[in-house]
Amino acid sequence: MATSRTFRRVALVGAVAALGASMPAAASGGVRADTPATVTSLAGTPARSGSPTSTVDRVADFYGAYIDVLFDSGRGRLANSLRGHYLTEQLRSSLARWEAAHHRDGVLRAKGVPIAWKVVYNDSGMGHCWTRVTLTWQDTGNQVHRTHLMVQSDLATRLISGIKAA
């Protein structure tokens, strides 16, 4: 008898959950009134999370913020402040030399601003973590291409200490 009651409760909870998932937020008593298009796009959007102690998350945070700043206002004080916060002093000096020689942004290894970015863990050892950064670009002819970078971070400080084309 206890098994039958438990089964009914589980079935009831499952039915209510299924019904709630299929109803729009406004119909289920929520305060949000999304259009069907908004609900569909929100359901397909990946969640984003991170941790200040994760070296990979810090690389992703840096590239996300840096690209946002370049997109919004171009290279200026805020972009330089981000570099000062996330990059080692030695890398900042190295980037300045690279940028003078190549006339491009050393963090992105290109001119312009990418339309998307992706950061994934690659490897770690000997006090360093390597992440792979993929930058997606769209040219004037709407052709999409990608740039792959290998980014080195110091595990002790979690600061980015190297960037090279992969």
Side-chain angles (χ1 to χ4, degrees), residues 58-96:
R58 288 180 63 87
V59 171
D61 291 344
F62 169 68
Y63 271 90
Y66 189 74
I67 290 167
D68 285 350
V69 166
L70 293 181
F71 181 82
D72 292 344
S73 57
R75 179 80 185 268
R77 262 183 37 211
L78 185 52
N80 289 334
S81 292
L82 286 169
R83 284 177 171 222
H85 182 76
Y86 284 95
L87 309 179
T88 64
E89 185 176 339
Q90 184 178 1
L91 177 58
R92 291 193 309 270
S93 296
S94 173
L95 288 175

Side-chain angles (χ1 to χ4, degrees), residues 32-61:
R32 251 176 59 189
D34 294 324
T35 65
T38 305
V39 173
T40 302
S41 66
L42 290 176
T45 303
R48 290 167 174 83
S49 62
S51 169
T53 61
S54 167
T55 305
V56 175
D57 288 348
R58 288 180 63 87
V59 171
D61 291 344

Side-chain angles (χ1 to χ4, degrees), residues 115-159:
I115 61 170
W117 54 269
K118 179 180 172 183
V119 176
V120 297
Y121 171 80
N122 188 72
D123 197 9
S124 60
M126 300 195 56
H128 299 286
C129 175
W130 290 270
T131 51
R132 234 183 303 207
V133 176
T134 302
L135 303 174
T136 303
W137 305 84
Q138 187 171 18
D139 63 21
T140 55
N142 289 330
Q143 295 293 326
V144 174
H145 63 280
R146 290 176 177 77
T147 303
H148 302 280
L149 304 174
M150 190 63 67
V151 175
Q152 176 183 312
S153 300
D154 294 337
L155 289 174
T157 63
R158 294 182 312 282
L159 294 177

